[in-house]
Amino acid sequence: MRILTLGGWLMALTLLPMAYGELNLIPQPAHAVPGQGKLKIDQSFRIALTGYREPRLERAAARLIEHLESKTGMPLTRNLSSDAAGATLEISTTAASSPVQKLGEDESYRLEVGPERARLTAPNPLGILRGLETFLQLVEADKDAFAAPVIQIDDQPRFRWRGLMLDASRHWMPADVVRRNLEAMAALKLNVLHWHLSDDQGFRVESKRFPKLQEMGSDGHYYTQQQIREVLEFARERGIRVVPEFDMPGHTTAWFVGHPELASAPGPYTIERKWGVFDPAMDPTRDEVYRFLDAFIGEMAALFPDDYFHIGGDEVNGKQWDRNPQIQTFMREHSLKDNIALQAYFNSRLQPIVTEHGKKVIGWDEIFAPTLPKDIVVHSWRGQKSLADAARLGYMGILSAGYYLDLMHSAAFHYAVDPVENEAAGLNAEQQARILGGEACMWSEYVTPLNVDMRIWPRAAAIAERFWSPQEVKDVASMYRRLAVVSRDLEWRGARHASSHHLMIQRLADDHPVGPLATLSDVVEPVKEYAREEARQYTSFTPLNRMVDATRPESDVAREFGNLVDRALAGGSDASSSRDQLRHWLTLWRANDAALEPALESSFLLQELIPLSKDLSALGSAGLEALEYLANGRKPDAAWLEKQQAFLDGAKKSRAELLLMVAPHVEKLVQTAGRP
Amino acid sequence: MRILTLGGWLMALTLLPMAYGELNLIPQPAHAVPGQGKLKIDQSFRIALTGYREPRLERAAARLIEHLESKTGMPLTRNLSSDAAGATLEISTTAASSPVQKLGEDESYRLEVGPERARLTAPNPLGILRGLETFLQLVEADKDAFAAPVIQIDDQPRFRWRGLMLDASRHWMPADVVRRNLEAMAALKLNVLHWHLSDDQGFRVESKRFPKLQEMGSDGHYYTQQQIREVLEFARERGIRVVPEFDMPGHTTAWFVGHPELASAPGPYTIERKWGVFDPAMDPTRDEVYRFLDAFIGEMAALFPDDYFHIGGDEVNGKQWDRNPQIQTFMREHSLKDNIALQAYFNSRLQPIVTEHGKKVIGWDEIFAPTLPKDIVVHSWRGQKSLADAARLGYMGILSAGYYLDLMHSAAFHYAVDPVENEAAGLNAEQQARILGGEACMWSEYVTPLNVDMRIWPRAAAIAERFWSPQEVKDVASMYRRLAVVSRDLEWRGARHASSHHLMIQRLADDHPVGPLATLSDVVEPVKEYAREEARQYTSFTPLNRMVDATRPESDVAREFGNLVDRALAGGSDASSSRDQLRHWLTLWRANDAALEPALESSFLLQELIPLSKDLSALGSAGLEALEYLANGRKPDAAWLEKQQAFLDGAKKSRAELLLMVAPHVEKLVQTAGRP
């Protein structure tokens, strides 16, 4: 058991023991047969590449060496052999992958670790890339040395499309942010980066054909075509497809700053600074719009090699269309009865353009119409029903409903969502096969390059396991244990989710000790779903420098505290030690406000935390009193119970856009103490 | 007070309060007159560049914006104005700096912060660069907003040469390591990177003229000339000179792998893998050696624009010379009575070559001979006496004795060393002015790119203050307080000293909780001086992945614990609270071994820590017992005292190349308790 917090370690060490014997693999492989013994990994480690050979494989082997060096601290040789004799790890494949990675391309591999050597085989380099990640995860220190357990793994993914969507429009995400998240994706065997490149708040790609798009629509924050090519190359090296999204016909304000002629109302336009759904939309009725899109998509289709082109299509509110008499006339003339029909018309014109440039269309639920060709992909933010409906009609789909990382749900929440459950469970096998997988979505209203990693990792690793591992892999406790391990490893791979949390908490603490602030941060979570929108008027200029921005989406301490409460109340053999540990936490929290107060009083950024800090200390007191009642068997009187409940009702409310996640667990202690 | 440790915060929060009123500036400026009020820094922050303007200034202003954004989390505008009206900070200078930064070039600036605006003026862009760092350090959060205090600062450095030497030969340091340390140097107003580029263990620069140097002498780890040009540009942007060192005639094994004809004994040679002083040395008696050096230095002189060229010259053991009959004959024929005379002869041939290529010579103590021209610089690893002797003869010098960061001394140790004290104190003003400053030295036997930042920062910041601030700035408590602040800020600038410590401790903890291991790490320090050499046979292949490599050079916890002991025993008004805090620490340590034992037992990397961990817990017990005696006024019996002293004598000994730094403080408690 391991909780990576500044404040929480004192207790963490006494929490659940690690389930020894279970491997630290995430995602769990499809089939694994453990053996006896271990393969020692020391400075004699050598890789041999046998069979088909290409530079990408050589670089992948070199990266494995680099990652093994990071993981062990041992300098290793970079020399690759082509002779299996003398090699610790033989890598062997028979043929090249597709020059442009294809949807559904074979990603299977076999990894055999013996006591003397290991062998990784796969039909193509893509499978080798996946298997190398598994091998790396197997290596750990034991009593004698670094070693990988003897095992035979036969692995392939459950879903073909395992994506992460990154919104680079609402907050700009420089190329190095994209690269370090691609590196983390590779570690989790994710295989699609869906790059949300345009929206009302920014147009983020250099168009040489229409340079006003980025020059006027991006505040100077856009990817040059050279940068994009470098990112694409970086992704291909790691077996990751990159699907660009240019959201149309809505979410297009940033296009219109430079090209108001595309809009359904006259300009001028400025870059949108607020969050939400806005009126501007492309005019579906004018041929010049399609001529523009033809030229633009032609340029982008040449830049992005993937077969798929994401056209967005979500959240067109239709207000510009309603207000434009020429559009209304057009709709009447073409018997388009409503804006849904008008958008379908738009898509019916757009799709052939995309097809003509060699791409297949993917778009959000709203684009779906049974008139579209069968090779389109429906990307559902609404749920499995959209996918099931489309699948019955022969259409493919991927799921993102339930996988929105910006909504601040727990890893367990996302882990429980399955693309082929709920409405999709009733599909026959052929229909179900049309559900290609899913994508975790990182919308960027409330993230910056500084905290975006913290919003993605490690939670997206639970989603990655859902997409890769067999459907029956569902043990939440096991997932959390392995999530903690991969979370540590991802920092070595360059993700900044842990380090940026530390940096941000220290920045908030300023000259004050960071510990008490970390203790508070460890037990709170940002408000859920869209509650931040209601809390205050955010814009793209609003500093994201408060506790809510520095705090992790999920409180490990609160989850473990809740487990302790359950064990203490269940009265099993560990009830007594659980009570001791509860007391330790509660005592820590009771004392925390006094320690934290000077910092909270001295900084305008921290003052909003004063009520939360006071409540945390009061939760400590309430919990300790409840434990005391439970221990001595006396019942509290009604006045005490009433007072505590009133306090707890308040403590559960959000303040500073944060929730005290331990409040419900303390409530359980209090209510149990009061139960006759 | 702020201690940035994983384990230590519980107590840290109750330690010394911050000395409010003192500014968080490091190095302290030469003159500062604080005023009333503050300049608010919010999103309306604007910079105006008036007066002389050049791209480097514009980029420096843009970097200030970027750093302010990092420090505050506020998005700021990047637009620079040339009109002071409406600007928050006006930057004004009159003329360009020298195209190649010169030794002694004016670095002064004036920074006036008023309640409405700030103005930074300097004779040239170099002074502006220094002043921008001061401005950045002034900005902090207060009750209402981010703000800089109203103040007038007139500042200039005490010494002209304020350097950091980085050894990229013994362990390879990629260009990004150099860059992030240059960034940190800039934050501390250091102005010379002394780049140790060749040694027995590696030749690290691409020579196009003699490519066998890097091809055969570097294991493929060398800087291309393009990379060097980029680093030089990066340094110039930050007002930092870069002085290359090619150590000659000893420390040259790596040259001889490709060019054995330069050596004083026939080859073949291989790259040296051990640490120490080795026999190979250039042959000073053959003209072809000087012809080679002429061509090589010509190439390097064109690559590195600085006026100075470091020729090394240290630690020639002379054994190859002694064994070479031709060299012995030469010495007799030229009346060179010993190897010192032979090295002086070598230097007398080398120096004109360096001069001919437009450079001035700098070299270690050993190069000094009164026959050399007066523009050479003596770089002393021996002490102020070398500098004083040279200065009396009219020679310039810089000090590195006392500033070796690899020897694991405390910041206070380095802070107490002054280039013009000791033997140099007796110099007259003219002679003293020949002592140009000094350099902190980071020799790399025991550091890798992963932990090198941790060895340099924050301790080098104390040395930077010694070089910049007035001689009378000597308050150690103030230095440590400000060091903690700058340490936090340096991570935002890209230095990895804190984050890599966390990564390495977590790697050691593996699947176990990191807290108890951090608690142990927080109270130990690596052994001092050259004790690691004696502990085991290290080579350049030895993994540096143990606790001694992950542990910080200086234990903040031990220092603060020592202060608490002193306050508790002094019996002042805070004695009682100090005793409480001592008890808290001691209780934590007493319990730590039980928490840590499972991790220590399970990993071959941690087993060596078992005795240290047991001793830490025993120190906790001993300290608590001593406190108990002190509290109740009873005296312990002789048997107790004897037992404790025997234990303490053992606990003070190094194990696993680590020292338990709290042992002497606990000893003080025990001995005081036992005193009649």
Side-chain angles (χ1 to χ4, degrees):
Chain A
M1 189 53 239
R2 197 164 45 88
I3 299 188
L4 311 179
T5 63
L6 289 169
W9 71 266
L10 261 179
M11 294 300 302
L13 63 101
T14 53
L15 295 176
L16 279 178
M18 176 176 155
Y20 289 103
E22 191 192 37
L23 296 169
N24 285 328
L25 294 178
I26 189 162
Q28 290 270 296
H31 303 283
V33 183
Q36 291 295 315
K38 294 198 174 183
L39 171 67
K40 188 172 169 181
I41 309 291
D42 60 19
Q43 288 183 279
S44 69
F45 184 83
R46 295 286 182 286
I47 296 179
L49 268 180
T50 63
Y52 169 77
R53 197 170 174 128
E54 64 175 27
R56 182 167 68 148
L57 273 174
E58 290 165 14
R59 289 190 294 265
R63 280 203 309 281
L64 177 74
I65 296 284
E66 210 178 285
H67 296 150
L68 270 178
E69 285 186 323
S70 288
K71 189 162 181 170
T72 65
M74 293 189 300
L76 299 172
T77 181
R78 263 128 173 100
N79 297 335
L80 297 179
S81 157
S82 53
D83 179 6
T88 327
L89 173 64
E90 182 192 353
I91 298 173
S92 188
T93 183
T94 43
S97 307
S98 167
V100 174
Q101 192 173 327
K102 295 283 179 206
L103 171 67
E105 200 171 347
D106 196 338
E107 296 176 89
S108 70
Y109 67 91
R110 165 175 289 191
L111 176 61
E112 299 157 289
V113 180
E116 300 294 332
R117 62 187 58 233
R119 187 158 196 269
L120 172 63
T121 50
N124 64 27
L126 210 49
I128 296 294
L129 292 174
R130 305 298 174 238
L132 288 174
E133 297 295 346
T134 304
F135 181 80
L136 183 64
Q137 290 188 355
L138 286 174
V139 178
E140 296 201 329
D142 69 13
K143 275 178 201 295
D144 306 309
F146 291 107
V150 169
I151 197 166
Q152 176 165 333
I153 292 173
D154 286 283
D155 201 9
Q156 76 279 330
R158 179 173 166 223
F159 289 111
R160 287 169 278 175
W161 190 303
R162 306 181 308 279
L164 172 69
M165 191 221 71
L166 182 67
D167 175 3
S169 174
R170 289 179 175 82
H171 274 99
W172 165 239
M173 299 290 157
D176 63 337
V177 175
V178 182
R179 265 192 293 269
R180 69 182 187 232
N181 280 289
L182 281 165
E183 181 68 33
M185 288 172 69
L188 275 309
K189 302 184 170 64
L190 290 169
N191 71 353
V192 181
L193 173 71
H194 165 185
W195 209 354
H196 187 81
L197 289 164
S198 71
D199 214 303
D200 297 305
Q201 294 83 3
F203 190 97
R204 304 302 184 191
V205 174
E206 175 192 28
S207 168
K208 293 181 191 295
R209 190 75 199 268
F210 304 106
K212 283 193 287 185
L213 284 171
Q214 75 273 10
E215 284 169 8
M216 300 177 71
S218 78
D219 300 302
H221 290 315
Y222 61 88
Y223 309 106
T224 65
Q225 295 200 357
Q226 179 56 28
Q227 285 177 313
I228 286 174
R229 277 188 288 268
E230 287 166 10
V231 167
L232 295 171
E233 179 61 25
F234 189 93
R236 171 160 176 83
E237 290 281 297
R238 287 153 183 80
I240 299 172
R241 298 166 46 212
V242 178
V243 176
E245 177 183 352
F246 294 94
D247 203 347
M248 301 174 267
H251 286 288
T252 39
T253 308
W255 306 53
F256 301 159
V257 184
H259 289 278
E261 73 278 10
L262 303 174
S264 303
Y269 290 85
T270 57
I271 295 173
E272 182 57 57
R273 306 301 181 182
K274 298 203 184 76
W275 311 135
V277 174
F278 301 95
D279 299 352
M282 289 176 178
D283 185 344
T285 69
R286 278 186 286 124
D287 286 341
E288 67 178 282
V289 171
Y290 300 104
R291 281 196 297 274
F292 180 101
L293 290 177
D294 187 26
F296 173 75
I297 291 172
E299 184 184 13
M300 292 300 120
L303 181 61
F304 293 93
D306 197 78
D307 279 350
Y308 285 85
F309 192 89
H310 204 303
I311 61 167
D314 56 322
E315 299 181 324
V316 183
N317 72 11
K319 288 187 186 169
Q320 276 199 343
W321 294 346
D322 295 341
R323 290 193 292 253
N324 181 326
Q326 180 266 325
I327 290 177
Q328 293 304 312
T329 306
F330 181 93
M331 288 171 73
R332 277 191 301 277
E333 288 172 2
H334 290 73
S335 305
L336 299 167
K337 67 177 179 354
D338 56 17
N339 287 333
I340 292 173
L342 182 58
Q343 188 176 349
Y345 170 81
F346 174 79
N347 289 333
S348 74
R349 300 278 308 261
L350 180 61
Q351 176 267 317
I353 294 173
V354 173
T355 305
E356 182 201 334
H357 292 293
K359 304 293 181 186
K360 297 167 187 167
V361 161
I362 173 170
W364 300 102
D365 303 71
E366 291 94 322
I367 70 149
F368 182 68
T371 52
L372 288 169
K374 289 288 191 291
D375 65 0
I376 70 138
V377 174
V378 177
H379 186 180
S380 181
W381 60 272
R382 290 178 172 162
Q384 287 95 337
K385 182 169 185 305
S386 299
L387 301 183
D389 293 347
R392 285 195 186 88
L393 296 171
Y395 289 90
M396 296 179 290
I398 63 171
L399 185 69
S400 278
Y403 301 131
Y404 272 29
L405 297 166
D406 54 313
L407 300 189
M408 301 289 154
H409 292 299
S410 67
F413 173 94
H414 296 305
Y415 195 57
V417 177
D418 193 304
V420 298
E421 289 185 354
N422 295 337
E423 293 89 343
L427 297 175
N428 65 32
E430 190 188 351
Q431 293 162 346
Q432 228 178 52
R434 293 186 188 122
I435 298 182
L436 306 172
E439 287 182 0
C441 288
M442 186 68 257
W443 298 107
S444 64
E445 284 91 342
Y446 302 103
V447 291
T448 69
L450 182 59
N451 69 354
V452 65
D453 297 28
M454 205 200 304
R455 298 309 185 222
I456 299 174
W457 309 108
R459 293 181 302 151
I463 302 174
E465 174 153 297
R466 177 59 51 239
F467 294 159
W468 179 281
S469 302
Q471 191 166 13
E472 59 273 20
V473 174
K474 287 190 166 178
D475 185 319
V476 171
S478 161
M479 178 274 287
Y480 273 117
R481 193 188 62 70
R482 292 176 291 114
L483 211 60
V485 175
V486 82
S487 180
R488 176 199 64 194
D489 288 351
L490 286 176
E491 280 272 325
W492 283 101
R493 295 287 282 264
R496 309 293 318 259
H497 54 298
S499 46
S500 62
H501 167 71
H502 291 167
L503 272 175
M504 292 179 82
I505 294 288
Q506 293 211 327
R507 182 170 71 182
L508 283 166
D510 207 356
D511 295 339
H512 294 269
V514 71
L517 199 61
T519 296
L520 179 62
S521 175
D522 282 351
V523 297
V524 294
E525 292 179 8
V527 288
K528 308 299 160 189
E529 303 275 347
Y530 297 97
R532 287 191 79 169
E533 282 179 14
E534 289 143 33
R536 57 173 74 189
Q537 178 65 60
Y538 281 95
T539 75
S540 52
F541 297 131
T542 309
L544 297 180
N545 58 0
R546 292 155 59 225
M547 182 59 108
V548 62
D549 304 301
T551 287
R552 300 185 190 89
E554 183 170 7
S555 165
D556 291 338
V557 172
R559 188 179 66 253
E560 293 299 335
F561 184 81
N563 291 340
L564 282 173
V565 168
D566 290 344
R567 287 202 295 280
L569 297 179
S573 62
D574 59 354
S576 162
S577 92
S578 298
R579 279 196 302 271
D580 286 348
Q581 294 169 55
L582 288 175
R583 253 180 234 111
H584 207 142
W585 278 118
L586 293 162
T587 307
L588 175 71
W589 297 334
R590 188 176 57 183
N592 200 61
D593 184 54
L596 187 50
E597 200 190 6
L600 301 189
E601 297 283 358
S602 72
S603 162
F604 75 106
L605 286 171
L606 297 178
Q607 281 159 2
E608 62 176 353
L609 304 176
I610 291 174
L612 279 165
S613 176
K614 293 204 182 311
D615 277 6
L616 178 61
S617 285
L619 284 169
S621 301
L624 286 166
E625 289 174 39
L627 276 181
E628 190 61 26
Y629 282 117
L630 288 164
N632 64 25
R634 285 198 304 119
K635 287 289 150 196
D637 60 26
W640 183 87
L641 270 177
E642 200 176 317
K643 193 187 95 185
Q644 295 302 344
Q645 191 59 55
F647 156 68
L648 286 161
D649 289 343
K652 287 189 291 180
K653 294 207 170 79
S654 72
R655 269 80 48 89
E657 293 154 60
L658 290 166
L659 294 164
L660 266 169
M661 300 305 289
V662 290
H665 305 308
V666 171
E667 184 178 42
K668 193 187 261 192
L669 283 178
V670 165
Q671 292 181 347
T672 307
R675 205 163 292 152
Chain B
M1 191 51 240
R2 197 167 43 90
I3 299 188
L4 311 179
T5 63
L6 290 166
W9 70 267
L10 263 178
M11 294 300 302
L13 63 100
T14 53
L15 296 176
L16 279 176
M18 177 176 154
Y20 288 103
E22 190 192 37
L23 296 169
N24 284 330
L25 295 177
I26 189 162
Q28 290 270 297
H31 304 281
V33 183
Q36 291 294 315
K38 294 198 175 185
L39 172 66
K40 188 172 168 180
I41 309 292
D42 62 18
Q43 288 184 280
S44 70
F45 184 83
R46 294 288 183 284
I47 295 180
L49 268 180
T50 63
Y52 169 77
R53 196 169 174 130
E54 64 176 27
R56 181 166 69 149
L57 273 175
E58 290 165 14
R59 290 190 294 265
R63 280 202 309 281
L64 177 73
I65 296 285
E66 211 178 285
H67 296 149
L68 269 178
E69 286 186 323
S70 287
K71 187 162 183 170
T72 65
M74 293 190 301
L76 300 172
T77 181
R78 260 126 174 103
N79 297 335
L80 297 180
S81 158
S82 52
D83 179 6
T88 327
L89 173 64
E90 182 192 354
I91 298 173
S92 189
T93 182
T94 43
S97 307
S98 167
V100 173
Q101 191 173 325
K102 295 284 179 204
L103 171 66
E105 201 172 347
D106 196 338
E107 296 176 88
S108 70
Y109 67 91
R110 166 175 289 191
L111 176 62
E112 299 157 289
V113 180
E116 300 294 333
R117 63 186 57 235
R119 188 159 196 270
L120 172 63
T121 50
N124 63 28
L126 210 49
I128 296 294
L129 291 174
R130 307 297 175 238
L132 288 174
E133 297 295 346
T134 304
F135 181 79
L136 183 65
Q137 290 188 355
L138 286 174
V139 178
E140 297 200 330
D142 70 13
K143 276 179 201 293
D144 306 309
F146 291 107
V150 169
I151 197 166
Q152 175 165 333
I153 291 173
D154 286 283
D155 201 8
Q156 76 280 331
R158 178 172 165 224
F159 289 110
R160 286 169 278 174
W161 190 303
R162 305 181 308 281
L164 171 69
M165 191 222 70
L166 182 66
D167 174 4
S169 174
R170 290 180 174 80
H171 274 99
W172 166 240
M173 298 291 158
D176 63 336
V177 175
V178 182
R179 266 192 293 269
R180 69 182 187 233
N181 280 288
L182 281 165
E183 181 69 32
M185 287 172 68
L188 274 310
K189 300 184 171 66
L190 290 169
N191 71 353
V192 181
L193 173 71
H194 165 184
W195 209 354
H196 186 82
L197 288 165
S198 71
D199 214 302
D200 296 305
Q201 293 82 3
F203 190 97
R204 303 303 185 191
V205 174
E206 176 192 27
S207 168
K208 293 183 192 294
R209 189 75 198 269
F210 303 107
K212 283 193 286 185
L213 284 171
Q214 76 275 7
E215 284 170 8
M216 299 178 70
S218 77
D219 300 303
H221 290 316
Y222 62 87
Y223 308 107
T224 66
Q225 295 201 356
Q226 179 57 27
Q227 285 178 314
I228 286 174
R229 277 188 287 270
E230 287 166 11
V231 167
L232 295 171
E233 179 61 25
F234 189 94
R236 172 160 176 84
E237 289 282 296
R238 287 154 182 80
I240 299 173
R241 298 167 45 212
V242 178
V243 175
E245 177 185 352
F246 294 94
D247 203 347
M248 300 175 268
H251 286 289
T252 38
T253 308
W255 305 54
F256 301 159
V257 184
H259 288 280
E261 73 278 11
L262 302 175
S264 303
Y269 290 84
T270 56
I271 296 173
E272 183 56 58
R273 305 301 180 181
K274 299 202 184 77
W275 312 136
V277 175
F278 301 96
D279 299 351
M282 289 177 180
D283 184 343
T285 69
R286 280 185 285 123
D287 286 341
E288 67 178 282
V289 170
Y290 299 105
R291 281 196 297 273
F292 181 100
L293 291 176
D294 186 26
F296 174 74
I297 291 171
E299 185 185 10
M300 292 301 121
L303 181 61
F304 292 93
D306 197 79
D307 279 349
Y308 285 84
F309 193 89
H310 204 303
I311 60 167
D314 55 322
E315 298 182 324
V316 183
N317 72 12
K319 289 187 186 170
Q320 276 199 344
W321 294 346
D322 295 341
R323 289 193 292 253
N324 182 324
Q326 182 265 324
I327 291 177
Q328 294 303 313
T329 305
F330 181 94
M331 287 171 73
R332 277 192 301 277
E333 287 173 2
H334 291 72
S335 305
L336 299 167
K337 67 177 181 347
D338 57 16
N339 288 332
I340 292 172
L342 182 58
Q343 188 175 352
Y345 171 80
F346 174 79
N347 289 332
S348 74
R349 300 278 306 262
L350 181 60
Q351 175 268 317
I353 294 173
V354 173
T355 304
E356 183 200 336
H357 291 293
K359 304 293 180 186
K360 295 168 189 168
V361 161
I362 173 170
W364 299 101
D365 303 71
E366 290 93 324
I367 69 151
F368 181 67
T371 51
L372 289 169
K374 288 289 191 293
D375 65 359
I376 70 138
V377 174
V378 177
H379 185 180
S380 181
W381 60 273
R382 289 177 172 164
Q384 287 95 337
K385 181 169 186 302
S386 298
L387 301 183
D389 292 347
R392 284 197 188 89
L393 295 172
Y395 289 90
M396 295 179 291
I398 63 171
L399 184 69
S400 276
Y403 300 131
Y404 272 29
L405 296 166
D406 53 313
L407 301 190
M408 302 289 155
H409 292 298
S410 67
F413 173 94
H414 296 305
Y415 195 57
V417 177
D418 193 304
V420 298
E421 290 185 352
N422 295 335
E423 292 89 344
L427 298 175
N428 66 33
E430 189 188 351
Q431 292 162 346
Q432 227 178 54
R434 294 186 188 122
I435 298 182
L436 306 172
E439 288 183 0
C441 287
M442 185 68 256
W443 299 106
S444 63
E445 283 92 341
Y446 302 102
V447 292
T448 69
L450 181 60
N451 68 354
V452 64
D453 297 28
M454 204 198 305
R455 298 308 184 224
I456 300 174
W457 310 108
R459 292 181 303 151
I463 301 174
E465 173 153 296
R466 177 60 51 239
F467 294 159
W468 178 281
S469 302
Q471 190 167 12
E472 60 273 19
V473 174
K474 286 191 167 179
D475 185 320
V476 171
S478 161
M479 178 274 286
Y480 273 117
R481 192 188 62 70
R482 291 176 291 114
L483 210 60
V485 175
V486 83
S487 180
R488 177 199 64 196
D489 289 350
L490 287 176
E491 279 272 326
W492 284 101
R493 294 287 282 264
R496 309 293 317 261
H497 55 298
S499 46
S500 62
H501 167 70
H502 290 167
L503 272 175
M504 292 179 82
I505 294 288
Q506 293 211 327
R507 182 169 71 182
L508 284 167
D510 207 358
D511 295 340
H512 295 269
V514 71
L517 198 61
T519 296
L520 179 61
S521 174
D522 282 351
V523 296
V524 294
E525 291 180 8
V527 289
K528 308 299 161 190
E529 304 276 348
Y530 296 98
R532 286 191 80 170
E533 283 180 14
E534 290 144 33
R536 58 172 74 190
Q537 178 64 60
Y538 280 95
T539 75
S540 51
F541 297 131
T542 309
L544 297 180
N545 58 359
R546 292 154 60 225
M547 182 59 109
V548 61
D549 305 301
T551 287
R552 300 185 190 89
E554 183 171 7
S555 165
D556 291 338
V557 172
R559 188 179 65 252
E560 293 300 337
F561 184 81
N563 291 340
L564 282 173
V565 168
D566 290 344
R567 288 203 295 279
L569 297 179
S573 61
D574 59 356
S576 163
S577 93
S578 298
R579 279 195 302 272
D580 286 347
Q581 294 169 56
L582 289 175
R583 252 180 234 110
H584 208 142
W585 278 117
L586 293 163
T587 307
L588 175 71
W589 297 335
R590 188 176 57 182
N592 201 61
D593 185 55
L596 187 50
E597 199 190 6
L600 301 189
E601 297 283 356
S602 73
S603 163
F604 75 106
L605 287 171
L606 297 179
Q607 282 159 2
E608 63 176 352
L609 304 177
I610 290 173
L612 279 165
S613 176
K614 292 206 183 308
D615 277 6
L616 178 61
S617 285
L619 284 169
S621 301
L624 286 166
E625 289 174 38
L627 276 180
E628 191 60 27
Y629 281 117
L630 288 164
N632 64 26
R634 285 198 305 120
K635 288 289 151 196
D637 59 27
W640 183 87
L641 269 178
E642 201 176 315
K643 194 187 95 187
Q644 296 301 344
Q645 190 59 55
F647 156 67
L648 286 161
D649 289 345
K652 287 189 291 181
K653 293 207 171 79
S654 72
R655 268 80 48 90
E657 293 155 59
L658 290 166
L659 293 164
L660 266 169
M661 300 305 289
V662 290
H665 305 308
V666 172
E667 184 177 43
K668 193 186 263 190
L669 283 178
V670 165
Q671 292 181 346
T672 307
R675 204 163 292 152

